[in-house]
Amino acid sequence: MLTQFAIVIFQVIIILALAPLLSGIIKKVKAFLQMRKGPGIFQPYYDIAKLLRKDSVVSENVSWIFHAAPIISFVAVLTAGLIIPVYISNMPFSFAGDLIAVVYLFALARFFIALASLDAGSSFGGMGGSREMFISSLVEPAMMLSIFAIALNVGTTNLSVISGAVSSMGLDAISPYHLLAFVALFIIAIAETGRIPVDNPATHLELTMIHEAMILEYSGKQLAIVELGAMMKQLLVFSLLANIFFPWGIASELSAAGIALSLIVFIIKIVVIGVVIAMVETSTAKWRLFRLPNLLSISLMLSFLALISFIIVKGG
Amino acid sequence: MSELVFGSKMMQLLIALILVSTFMILGSTRLYSCVRAFGIQSFLLAGVAGIVAYSTGKSDIYIVAILTLVIKAAVIPYIFIYIIREIKVKREIALYVNISPSLIIGGVLVVISYYLVRSINIRTELSSFALSASISLVSIGLFIMISRKKAIMQMLGILLMENGLFLGAISLTYGMPLLVELGIFFDVLIGVLIMGILIFRINRTFESIDTDMLKTLIG
Amino acid sequence: MIEYLLLAPVLTGILCFFTKTRKQVEVVSVTGSIVTLLLGMALVVDVYRHDIIVTWQNALFADAFSAFIVLIVSIVGFVASLYSTGYMGHEFEHNIIDMKRLKMYYVLFHSFMFTMLLVGVTNNLGLWIAIEMTTLVSALLMILYSRKSSVEAAWKYMIICTVGITFALFGTILTYYASVKILGETGEALNWTSLLAVADQFDPTIMKLAFIFILIGYGTKAGLAPMHTWLPDAHSEAPTPVSALLSGVLLNCAMYGIIRFYTIATKSFGTEFGSNLLIVFGLLSIGIAVPFILLQEDYKRLLAYSSVEHMGIVALGIGFGGVFGIFGAILHMFNHAMTKSFMFFGAGNVLLKHETKEIDKVSGVVKSMPVTGTMLIIGGLAITGSPPFSIFISEFTILAAGFSQGHIVASVLFLLFIIMIFAGFFYHISRMTFGTPAAGVKSGDVSRWMLGAMAILIVFVIVFGVYIPPFFNEMIMKVVNVVR
């Protein structure tokens, strides 16, 4: 019981600690690719620390939703973090929820931020909120479908079990549906973390911003929580990619050496994914909003193909 | 793990990537990205041929793989890019069927191909996946031809169909006899050149390469 | 023997490329086509004696059926090259094409001949390659004039036929798959000579699938409905001598591909499946031609739709089967080739004189061009199958085969359709030939080259209607034996 408690606490600490680092690394890699010097990789920590010291400026017209939204979304994402395997494949909390719960926890977080963006009554907020919900309506089904192909193979939607099973299969796990689902989820990851070509995290240009537009009204401590929540979500989506599709090296039993190794492997995987995302960001241009459904339908179709090829390969 | 098992695993991955590239063509609205996806697909096909050559140890198939690499992955995309550049066509492709419905139809075609393959009894794991991928490539190629307005895309659709057949031949019988394969490559290359000439002609006489214009001969 | 036959048009084409004047290019072209004709005849005689000739490491071969196709190609090719001299010469004199185009025309013309001969003599199922090559070359011939309509026709032709041929390739791959199972992976596994021997052991399911793809694929090229849509455009927009080759010969080449596969396929799964498919496609082609012929406004398209009809009849004949059905179909291929080229030449004369393709605007051809006019009337009667011309004989044989094999409904429909086509076709022809010519059309016939070409063909049209020479009869019987 106590060890399980420790596992959970450790997981929370890792998520909280690594999330800003990942953001920093992606920014640094981007800067490097664009021949800039860029801020150091620890800059996000400083930013959050600074924001936490500041007071919030809040519009007079907002209701309780505006105040509650950052906390709710933060907690929702953190709860998802307890279900997604990060450094160990048998999560103590895995009984509490599976893939579908993760998708809905992310949706909950998104929903409250979007609600808060409408609450303040500024025009940008509403625009950002509506765009965000538009994208999420495409992202959520695709995300579920993409992992379903793998879930079908293992026979459960429980992420811990999936991760452990794929890990124990070794190289045998690599198969057409594995690959197709990975490509599909990768596209989803781009959309889910608000990166180019779906959204640009570094812009405040009113025509293009989505996530930034939603949180425009936040400042100080509340902004820090929202930002940290977004970073955590990014880390979690990446670890979903890493630990569902390449879970090799993840610890399944509790031992200090195993966990240390697993943690190092995890960090390497996350950084590699981050670097790839940074490369995608630098090499593509942001798409027009109305072209986004195309990208997300490609992802949806690839997930679908993954399911079909699962049936073809397995059912022969 | 024997070489053949590893080979067939690699093969499956390559075929999955070929399907991905097909959907990239279906999902793209820019001529260049379509051509790029086609080039990637041909490259992957060459990889498939290479693996088959390696695991069967037949020198004939190596030749076919190299020809695929040179002709389909390099020369033909180059011809495409040359045409696009020379006729200064608008880079966006015009559609009769929008992207999202196109993608859905593509998915349905894959399912249909699978059931078609299932209904003729060809069993082994590798060839049933490869064969359904091949038939889906053929049908998606056909679909691209009828759902895109630009003459260039019709050319691309034909080549996609041809790629599908190549995959089918490889997966069914490890390719056709060398003489026939060489002939097919020759025909494909000449065909692309002649279609290129026709596209230039269409562009010059109609000042557009939208096939919408080609509607005078009826009845 | 076969090599020389293939070499002749290639050499002619190359020589045409290096000529400087109109005179030179015409001399080279006509001489070349005479040589091709003679070599073709020689091949026919050779095959007549030896039954099967195989050369070039089994890549090339000729049996009675190949020789038959070679005969059609070389006769029509020869006549078309004579006609070209007059027709393209006229275009050249009126500055419609320049010397460069004229030269290009002859180079492509002989390349086209080469590809069609290649279809006949390829041993391999890689026959596919040769048929695709005919498409490529003839598409280039079609854009000789850069008119909007001809570019459009060429594009449609190219795209539809290439797609069709892709299906045929799939059918070929499936056949190869079936044969590899029996013969093992040799280069021989696609050769007629090897395939025929073991065809009865092929997996019937796969062969059925293969045959469907082949029928759709080559059927597209042969102009069988409903894949015929490119045909009227292409055949009406090409230069007239090329139209004659396309309608008279190229369709037969595609039909040859279908029949070859049919022979193998029926050995594997019995006759019923294949023959029913052929009957359906054949009747559909004849039926679809009816309204288009009745309501046609363009006389070259009229002839093109008539080609759809006649290819349907050939398919129907093969589908009816039996010695009579196949005999009729083979004979019909020959008769149609001769008569249709003849009609296209007549139409070409009218086009040069009246400078319009619309039936409504042409009248009084008998008055403006007495010889052409008379020939058009004869041709019109012949092509619609009236006695005593050659097509009557073959159509009658097929019809008799239909009734005797018990395909009563199909035969009755067939009879009904050709009666309707006869009425419609002859109505259009009589509107064109009788009456008074439009003002401004000078009377006087076209050049002797063109009339000479037609005179050669009319011999076949008339003579074969009343008397089939015994050696020719025997040759067709040999073809029938190959096909059955």
Side-chain angles (χ1 to χ4, degrees):
Chain A
M1 187 66 205
L2 202 65
T3 52
Q4 302 211 326
F5 196 65
I7 290 175
V8 173
I9 296 291
F10 192 50
Q11 169 121 345
V12 170
I13 292 170
I14 285 175
I15 292 171
L16 282 174
L18 283 183
L21 184 68
L22 181 63
S23 279
I25 290 173
I26 293 178
K27 272 192 192 133
K28 189 75 184 172
V29 173
K30 265 175 79 179
F32 175 76
L33 290 172
Q34 293 163 352
M35 306 289 191
R36 290 187 287 118
K37 189 151 170 274
I41 56 172
F42 298 111
Q43 190 60 40
Y45 293 106
Y46 307 146
D47 289 344
I48 285 171
K50 189 174 169 191
L51 283 172
L52 280 173
R53 284 199 302 272
K54 303 253 177 187
D55 283 332
S56 296
V57 179
V58 180
S59 160
E60 294 168 356
N61 304 324
V62 296
S63 66
W64 61 271
I65 289 178
F66 186 84
H67 296 283
I71 313 288
I72 294 176
S73 71
F74 183 84
V75 172
V77 171
L78 202 58
T79 314
L82 298 180
I83 305 172
I84 296 174
V86 170
Y87 67 96
I88 189 160
S89 67
N90 53 358
M91 289 295 299
F93 265 118
S94 65
F95 71 87
D98 55 3
L99 160 71
I100 298 165
V102 168
V103 172
Y104 277 102
L105 282 169
F106 283 166
L108 184 72
R110 199 202 304 267
F111 173 72
F112 268 93
I113 293 287
L115 215 53
S117 73
L118 291 170
D119 195 26
S122 85
S123 52
F124 283 141
M127 188 188 73
S130 70
R131 285 178 180 178
E132 179 81 6
M133 295 323 282
F134 168 64
I135 292 175
S136 81
S137 68
L138 299 162
V139 163
E140 278 157 20
M143 187 167 177
M144 274 201 226
L145 206 55
S146 65
I147 303 182
F148 271 172
I150 308 296
L152 215 56
N153 190 22
V154 179
T156 170
T157 53
N158 187 318
L159 293 171
S160 295
V161 180
I162 294 177
S163 178
V166 175
S167 163
S168 64
M169 268 188 257
L171 279 175
D172 269 350
I174 294 185
S175 54
Y177 48 90
H178 203 83
L179 188 77
L180 290 167
F182 173 73
V183 177
L185 193 65
F186 189 80
I187 296 175
I188 292 304
I190 289 173
E192 192 69 65
T193 55
R195 302 228 157 242
I196 294 175
V198 175
D199 187 9
N200 188 349
T203 185
H204 280 93
L205 200 65
E206 61 261 33
L207 284 177
T208 56
M209 58 184 175
I210 298 173
H211 184 249
E212 296 300 316
M214 284 201 302
I215 59 171
L216 212 53
E217 289 290 321
Y218 281 110
S219 56
K221 293 189 181 64
Q222 288 174 331
L223 183 59
I225 293 173
V226 172
E227 292 279 11
L228 192 58
M231 287 169 190
M232 274 164 41
K233 188 170 158 195
Q234 172 170 290
L235 181 80
L236 290 175
V237 171
F238 286 7
S239 44
L240 207 54
L241 268 180
N243 284 338
I244 297 295
F245 293 99
F246 311 100
W248 305 297
I250 195 167
S252 55
E253 296 303 319
L254 209 58
S255 71
I259 286 179
L261 180 73
S262 164
L263 210 55
I264 293 167
V265 173
F266 174 70
I267 291 173
I268 292 172
K269 283 188 233 170
I270 293 294
V271 169
V272 168
I273 294 176
V275 170
V276 173
I277 292 264
M279 275 154 67
V280 170
E281 275 209 295
T282 29
S283 62
T284 53
K286 193 188 161 315
W287 283 20
R288 273 184 291 128
L289 189 68
F290 292 106
R291 274 182 71 200
L292 288 183
N294 297 348
L295 185 71
L296 298 171
S297 346
I298 290 181
S299 162
L300 201 60
M301 274 338 291
L302 288 177
S303 325
F304 181 59
L305 274 186
L307 284 177
I308 298 171
S309 57
F310 173 77
I311 296 167
I312 297 177
V313 173
K314 289 286 164 176
Chain B
M1 205 182 276
S2 76
E3 264 171 18
L4 206 67
V5 171
F6 177 70
S8 82
K9 196 109 230 173
M10 277 297 289
M11 185 101 149
Q12 285 190 355
L13 290 185
L14 283 177
I15 292 166
L17 282 173
I18 287 173
L19 277 180
V20 173
S21 66
T22 314
F23 275 79
M24 292 296 166
I25 296 178
L26 259 184
S28 164
T29 51
R30 312 216 161 202
L31 282 178
Y32 275 129
S33 23
C34 289
V35 172
R36 199 186 308 132
F38 172 78
I40 292 171
Q41 183 177 81
S42 308
F43 182 78
L44 295 168
L45 267 184
V48 169
I51 290 175
V52 170
Y54 180 73
S55 49
T56 55
K58 282 194 192 163
S59 55
D60 281 12
I61 308 176
Y62 277 117
I63 298 175
V64 171
I66 291 167
L67 274 176
T68 311
L69 197 64
V70 173
I71 293 181
K72 282 191 188 156
V75 176
I76 290 180
Y78 177 77
I79 294 174
F80 267 109
I81 288 170
Y82 177 80
I83 294 173
I84 296 170
R85 205 181 293 145
E86 285 298 305
I87 61 181
K88 300 194 175 60
V89 55
K90 244 180 91 190
R91 301 290 157 81
E92 295 252 331
I93 60 175
L95 309 152
Y96 289 112
V97 181
N98 269 327
I99 294 291
S100 299
S102 295
L103 287 165
I104 292 168
I105 291 171
V108 171
L109 288 176
V110 175
V111 177
I112 293 173
S113 315
Y114 167 58
Y115 278 102
L116 193 71
V117 170
R118 269 258 300 244
S119 62
I120 50 175
N121 44 356
I122 300 169
R123 281 222 174 72
T124 67
E125 180 176 303
L126 165 72
S127 72
S128 81
F129 184 48
L131 199 63
S132 35
S134 120
I135 295 178
S136 9
L137 242 65
V138 172
S139 48
I140 290 174
L142 199 61
F143 173 70
I144 283 181
M145 290 185 64
I146 58 178
S147 64
R148 306 291 190 263
K149 285 183 190 172
K150 288 240 161 41
I152 291 189
M153 288 305 285
Q154 302 188 340
M155 195 165 144
L156 198 72
I158 287 185
L159 286 168
L160 210 58
M161 291 174 74
E162 218 284 319
N163 270 357
L165 288 184
F166 182 84
L167 185 61
I170 279 277
S171 59
L172 275 179
T173 56
Y174 298 136
M176 309 276 271
L178 187 63
L179 190 70
V180 180
E181 288 282 9
L182 291 181
I184 293 173
F185 274 113
F186 177 74
D187 274 0
V188 167
L189 191 60
I190 301 293
V192 166
L193 287 174
I194 290 178
M195 279 188 244
I197 294 173
L198 277 174
I199 287 177
F200 277 112
R201 225 19 118 67
I202 290 174
N203 191 43
R204 208 166 62 205
T205 35
F206 291 87
E207 289 167 358
S208 154
I209 57 165
D210 274 9
T211 43
D212 266 355
M213 302 283 184
L214 307 179
K215 273 185 183 160
T216 51
L217 296 173
I218 293 167
Chain C
M1 188 70 232
I2 303 175
E3 300 93 311
Y4 298 124
L5 173 68
L6 289 178
L7 206 58
V10 173
L11 274 182
T12 318
I14 295 173
L15 281 178
C16 283
F17 187 74
F18 289 108
T19 51
K20 290 274 178 322
T21 61
R22 177 187 159 190
K23 196 94 205 153
Q24 285 173 3
V25 81
E26 284 171 0
V27 169
V28 170
S29 161
V30 171
T31 323
S33 61
I34 290 174
V35 173
T36 313
L37 177 65
L38 291 177
L39 285 170
M41 298 281 199
L43 181 74
V44 172
V45 174
D46 234 21
V47 171
Y48 196 75
R49 274 204 218 111
H50 302 293
D51 279 336
I52 285 188
I53 314 174
V54 182
T55 47
W56 241 57
Q57 293 159 344
N58 276 338
L60 301 176
F61 97 123
D63 61 4
F65 199 10
S66 317
F68 181 72
I69 291 292
V70 167
L71 187 69
I72 296 180
V73 175
S74 49
I75 291 178
V76 179
F78 164 66
V79 180
S81 90
L82 289 185
Y83 188 83
S84 297
T85 311
Y87 189 89
M88 298 317 284
H90 181 276
E91 303 279 74
F92 182 69
E93 279 164 17
H94 289 70
N95 285 327
I96 295 170
I97 51 172
D98 55 7
M99 188 58 211
K100 209 178 120 205
R101 282 272 167 90
L102 186 68
K103 230 163 65 177
M104 211 56 211
Y105 168 79
Y106 280 112
V107 172
L108 290 173
F109 181 91
H110 288 281
S111 320
F112 190 32
M113 289 284 292
F114 163 74
T115 56
M116 289 192 294
L117 289 171
L118 191 61
V119 172
V121 297
T122 328
N123 188 3
N124 209 287
L125 288 195
L127 166 73
W128 183 86
I129 299 160
I131 293 191
E132 170 70 359
M133 263 153 74
T134 61
T135 314
L136 301 178
V137 179
S138 48
L140 282 181
L141 272 171
M142 244 169 255
I143 52 167
L144 194 74
Y145 311 118
S146 337
R147 281 195 299 257
K148 277 192 175 185
S149 52
S150 51
V151 174
E152 176 184 339
W155 180 254
K156 279 185 187 166
Y157 171 58
M158 183 86 193
I159 290 297
I160 296 177
C161 283
T162 310
V163 170
I165 224 91
T166 312
F167 283 126
L169 178 59
F170 190 59
T172 312
I173 290 171
L174 286 174
T175 312
Y176 180 61
Y177 174 65
S179 86
V180 158
K181 276 186 178 169
I182 314 287
L183 288 172
E185 279 166 43
T186 57
E188 302 283 301
L190 268 182
N191 284 1
W192 291 124
T193 30
S194 346
L195 276 181
L196 266 179
V198 291
D200 46 349
Q201 301 167 41
F202 290 173
D203 181 346
T205 327
I206 290 173
M207 282 313 284
K208 269 184 191 170
L209 201 65
F211 183 67
I212 293 173
F213 275 104
I214 292 285
L215 185 60
I216 291 176
Y218 291 148
T220 310
K221 198 85 171 73
L224 291 181
M227 295 86 72
H228 69 287
T229 48
W230 59 274
L231 191 145
D233 302 345
H235 289 201
S236 64
E237 291 303 324
T240 301
V242 179
S243 304
L245 278 181
L246 286 172
S247 258
V249 191
L250 186 54
L251 298 182
N252 282 338
C253 288
M255 215 58 206
Y256 166 81
I258 296 179
I259 297 173
R260 281 286 190 199
F261 271 94
Y262 178 73
T263 310
I264 291 175
T266 45
K267 283 223 166 76
S268 155
F269 56 68
T271 49
E272 189 157 348
F273 178 74
S275 73
N276 283 345
L277 270 179
L278 280 175
I279 290 175
V280 167
F281 273 100
L283 271 183
L284 200 60
S285 307
I286 305 171
I288 276 189
V290 174
F292 286 98
I293 284 179
L294 291 180
L295 301 172
Q296 196 46 255
E297 289 168 353
D298 175 325
Y299 53 82
K300 276 186 95 175
R301 291 178 84 83
L302 182 72
L303 293 176
Y305 276 110
S306 153
S307 295
V308 175
E309 173 219 340
H310 284 287
M311 282 302 119
I313 294 176
V314 173
L316 200 62
I318 301 287
F320 284 157
V323 179
F324 272 114
I326 296 173
F327 184 92
I330 303 292
L331 186 62
H332 196 77
M333 282 167 86
F334 185 83
N335 290 342
H336 171 247
M338 300 305 147
T339 319
K340 188 49 66 60
S341 323
F342 176 74
M343 280 306 281
F344 263 113
F345 293 161
N349 294 354
V350 177
L351 180 61
L352 285 191
K353 201 62 157 183
H354 293 254
E355 291 176 345
T356 173
K357 283 194 235 168
E358 282 179 48
I359 296 172
D360 282 342
K361 292 189 181 156
V362 178
S363 59
V365 176
V366 176
K367 280 196 185 131
S368 62
M369 293 183 286
V371 183
T372 305
T374 319
M375 285 191 174
L376 267 185
I377 295 174
I378 295 175
L381 285 171
I383 199 88
T384 48
S386 7
F389 301 107
S390 57
I391 284 192
F392 170 74
I393 303 287
S394 45
E395 280 185 1
F396 186 77
T397 317
I398 292 173
L399 195 61
F403 279 114
S404 67
Q405 302 279 332
H407 297 284
I408 306 296
V409 180
S411 308
V412 170
L413 275 176
F414 169 46
L415 192 60
L416 210 63
F417 287 148
I418 55 173
I419 289 171
M420 274 151 62
I421 287 172
F422 171 79
F425 203 97
F426 208 71
Y427 166 67
H428 291 307
I429 292 289
S430 59
R431 264 183 7 188
M432 285 168 64
T433 45
F434 301 122
T436 46
V441 176
K442 289 184 206 130
S443 49
D445 242 303
V446 285
S447 86
R448 277 194 218 109
W449 287 109
M450 296 151 83
L451 293 181
M454 292 178 76
I456 296 174
L457 288 176
I458 204 170
V459 173
F460 289 105
V461 174
I462 294 175
V463 170
F464 278 55
V466 285
Y467 170 72
I468 297 177
F471 69 90
F472 192 75
N473 195 34
E474 199 177 323
M475 193 179 142
I476 291 188
M477 277 317 291
K478 279 191 175 184
V479 179
V480 172
N481 286 333
V482 170
V483 173
R484 284 184 74 204

